[in-house]
Amino acid sequence: MYTPLPDRPDTGTPNPQTTAHDLDHRKAAVTRLGRELRALVEATVRTAASPETLHRVADGVRQVAGELTGRQRRRAEIPEVDEFPVGARMYSPVTGAGSPLAPPVRVESTGDGLLGRCTLGLAHEGPPGYGHGGMSAMLLDELMGRACATAGMPGMTVSLRMTYHRPVPLETPLRIFARVTGTDDRKVFVDGTIVTEADPAKPLVTGDGVFVMPDPERVRALFPGMSQEA
């Protein structure tokens, strides 16, 4: 059960008077919708239902999508529920609680880096029974980037080198580690590892990357929606 907030006029721009309560309410709704959408995606890739059932469900999904009316977020607009550049990204395809694509990864600090935990489903499948290699790269890229930001050096990926030691199993709890290993002016060097919860000493995928901290002028050009205080 939820209590709807009063409708606000659609002005075409975010409401500058959004309160902390409003944001919490929206985050809870975004999280709930994301969870149900992930369940729908997983059911979609698992089902062996008849074509008639699939057509009927597709009609229902189209009808539901039509209910998401109102102002649409612009391409470079930072969602008001996000904490950018450091913090939760509600629609991230890796960590976003509101994303139908994300596992999602739960992230915590380890003191010398970050630890992420997730379980990949059939929606992330590459070889039968295992995660897509691109998904492994996305997991590590995300955790590495967040490790940079957590260390006070937010940057953008300029190179990412992956080594695939073993296939990453689906429906198996995983750990993703990332830590900053060095810097050189605006360059930040990071490495990462994916293992299973059951056998953390055996790496499945390892990677090392180089991130670059853009200068303030470049940040303003890339992210025009970011506040001057960020």
Side-chain angles (χ1 to χ4, degrees):
M1 182 67 68
Y2 71 96
T3 303
L5 291 173
D7 288 338
R8 295 190 176 96
D10 181 7
T11 62
T13 57
N15 188 334
Q17 298 180 351
T18 300
T19 67
H21 173 74
D22 292 342
L23 282 178
D24 287 344
H25 196 88
R26 176 167 288 278
K27 286 180 180 180
V30 168
T31 297
R32 183 184 179 199
L33 179 57
R35 181 171 60 247
E36 297 304 328
L37 288 174
R38 287 190 293 274
L40 175 62
V41 169
E42 191 69 12
T44 299
V45 299
R46 285 180 177 274
T47 187
S50 68
E52 291 75 20
T53 297
L54 298 180
H55 280 300
R56 185 172 66 253
V57 171
D59 289 339
V61 171
R62 173 176 289 190
Q63 181 176 350
V64 169
E67 295 185 25
L68 298 177
T69 58
R71 195 182 72 84
Q72 300 292 301
R73 179 161 63 94
R74 298 182 298 275
R75 181 182 66 85
E77 181 182 334
I78 299 170
E80 62 179 354
V81 291
D82 274 10
E83 299 164 13
F84 183 81
V86 179
R89 302 291 309 283
M90 293 296 288
Y91 299 108
S92 162
V94 180
T95 60
S99 171
L101 308 176
V105 178
R106 304 172 305 282
V107 183
E108 62 188 74
S109 175
T110 63
D112 65 342
L114 293 181
L115 166 63
R117 287 187 167 92
C118 73
T119 300
L120 300 181
L122 261 65
H124 308 114
E125 188 174 51
Y130 298 97
H132 193 289
M135 193 68 199
S136 296
M138 189 161 65
L139 292 175
L140 283 176
D141 183 52
E142 174 76 11
L143 265 289
M144 288 178 177
R146 288 190 63 159
C148 292
T150 301
M153 299 173 286
M156 302 182 71
T157 315
V158 295
S159 70
L160 183 63
R161 180 175 60 182
M162 309 290 298
T163 302
Y164 296 86
H165 304 275
R166 300 170 181 83
V168 176
L170 301 178
E171 301 180 332
T172 302
L174 302 173
R175 294 184 186 179
I176 309 105
F177 299 95
R179 64 188 182 96
V180 173
T181 59
T183 61
D184 179 10
D185 192 20
R186 291 190 294 113
K187 290 184 179 179
V188 185
F189 304 97
V190 195
D191 65 21
T193 308
I194 300 176
V195 300
T196 63
E197 287 273 12
D199 196 355
K202 184 182 294 183
L204 304 176
V205 183
T206 56
D208 58 84
V210 179
F211 292 70
V212 168
M213 296 181 286
D215 59 46
E217 184 177 343
R218 181 64 170 157
V219 169
R220 287 191 291 270
L222 288 170
F223 309 112
M226 190 161 63
S227 67
Q228 295 298 316
E229 294 79 14

